[in-house]
Amino acid sequence: MEKDEFFLKRIRELANLSWQRDIVTFSDFLNLNEQNIVSSLKHQFPQIVMETSGGYENAERQMVAFLPDALYYDYGYPMQALKICPVNKRFAEDLTHRDYLGAIMNLGTSRTKIGDIIQTDDGAIVFVKEEISDYMMKNLTRIRHTTITVERRELSDISYEPHFEELKGTVPSVRLDTVLSVAYPLSRSKLTTYIEAAKVFVNGKLITNNGYHLNKGDLISVRGLGRIAYAGILSETKKGRYMISLRKYI
């Protein structure tokens, strides 16, 4: 069975299970493309309410909760927030998102069990499926050459303000490809390849048209490159070009 077919089968199973047994069911952590697929299936399950959470506001990887109807359900997502800190900050390396993810994956963990990893001044917070939290706390002891500790944190205590870089540039129009060219030093053809390869999402929706017109406040995610927020037009030049502002999350 192809990967996409297996994914679709699993989503349908979760939705049907929720309806048939009158319970709340949950997916694993889904990437933006998978979330887009689930959203496109909503019409197939009119009796099911689908809600999402990644543990904090604007999380990229999220779990989907399937509710059997629109009535109130007191439920919690089966996820945990784990805080990763160096044992001795003085001798700790400057670890990257890739370092944290690589160390976790080296434990034999599936990527579907891991949500976002957000870096903090003193380490990182990783959101994981509840079922693997004890295993990670016991076995994740080192990242590269840095000895670390892993502790649980209450989801309600997580407060995260992303760091970003302010960028400005001039573009002939507020098209998706031209705005991306301000954020990423890549050729127009290379950016078009990302868009046509289904790697670009605007506000969580897959966009494959490089001429897509952006609106102020749109959040753009590019798989493999990161996220930016389009802050709008600052001014218009005499030649009809636009000075725009972006926030590039780092």
Side-chain angles (χ1 to χ4, degrees):
M1 182 179 292
E2 294 293 331
K3 182 179 178 181
D4 286 348
E5 291 178 1
F6 179 83
F7 174 74
L8 290 171
K9 181 175 183 291
R10 179 57 179 160
I11 293 302
R12 292 189 177 103
E13 286 175 346
L14 289 169
N16 288 327
L17 184 64
S18 174
W19 174 248
Q20 292 166 4
R21 297 191 181 180
D22 198 31
I23 59 174
V24 182
T25 58
F26 302 91
S27 71
D28 286 337
F29 284 102
L30 308 183
N31 60 35
L32 288 172
N33 186 51
E34 291 167 336
Q35 292 171 46
N36 186 65
I37 293 173
V38 172
S39 181
S40 71
L41 295 176
K42 284 184 177 180
H43 70 281
Q44 297 183 17
F45 306 99
Q47 73 278 20
I48 294 294
V49 176
M50 299 182 189
E51 298 181 348
T52 61
S53 175
Y56 70 102
E57 189 176 1
N58 294 324
E60 183 163 312
R61 296 180 66 84
Q62 299 198 28
M63 297 172 65
V64 178
F66 300 87
L67 286 69
D69 56 45
L71 298 177
Y72 174 77
Y73 283 83
D74 184 15
Y75 69 93
Y77 286 84
M79 72 173 74
Q80 295 269 335
L82 301 181
K83 181 62 182 292
I84 302 174
C85 292
V87 171
N88 191 327
K89 190 173 182 179
R90 180 181 177 185
F91 299 106
E93 299 161 280
D94 291 328
L95 300 174
T96 66
H97 182 279
R98 179 173 293 187
D99 293 326
Y100 288 107
L101 179 59
I104 295 170
M105 295 298 290
N106 283 339
L107 296 178
T109 303
S110 168
R111 186 66 178 95
T112 62
K113 307 300 181 184
I114 307 165
D116 283 5
I117 300 172
I118 53 180
Q119 292 186 248
T120 62
D121 293 337
D122 59 347
I125 296 171
V126 57
F127 297 88
V128 303
K129 286 290 291 286
E130 199 170 52
E131 65 200 59
I132 69 167
S133 59
D134 287 342
Y135 178 77
M136 278 189 56
M137 292 175 64
K138 179 180 179 180
N139 293 281
L140 186 62
T141 58
R142 182 180 295 272
I143 299 177
R144 288 176 57 186
H145 301 293
T146 300
T147 303
I148 54 96
T149 60
V150 183
E151 299 177 349
R152 284 191 181 90
R153 290 288 188 270
E154 292 293 331
L155 289 173
S156 58
D157 293 337
I158 303 298
S159 177
Y160 174 64
E161 289 293 334
H163 300 289
F164 56 84
E165 176 186 4
E166 294 275 8
L167 298 176
K168 297 179 182 179
T170 58
V171 295
S173 62
V174 190
R175 291 162 45 111
L176 179 59
D177 55 358
T178 58
V179 171
L180 288 179
S181 68
V182 175
Y184 305 110
L186 300 171
S187 67
R188 179 72 64 82
S189 61
K190 183 68 173 179
L191 291 172
T192 298
T193 299
Y194 271 91
I195 296 169
E196 293 177 347
K199 293 184 177 181
V200 179
F201 299 80
V202 179
N203 301 325
K205 181 181 179 181
L206 176 65
I207 301 297
T208 55
N209 175 16
N210 63 323
Y212 180 84
H213 185 86
L214 294 169
N215 295 305
K216 182 178 180 180
D218 281 347
L219 182 64
I220 308 162
S221 299
V222 185
R223 292 174 64 184
L225 295 180
R227 290 197 286 181
I228 62 174
Y230 170 56
I233 296 172
L234 298 175
S235 62
E236 185 176 353
T237 69
K238 293 180 179 180
K239 294 184 177 181
R241 293 175 64 87
Y242 300 98
M243 172 68 74
I244 64 170
S245 175
L246 306 174
R247 289 182 174 181
K248 183 178 180 181
Y249 293 95
I250 55 179

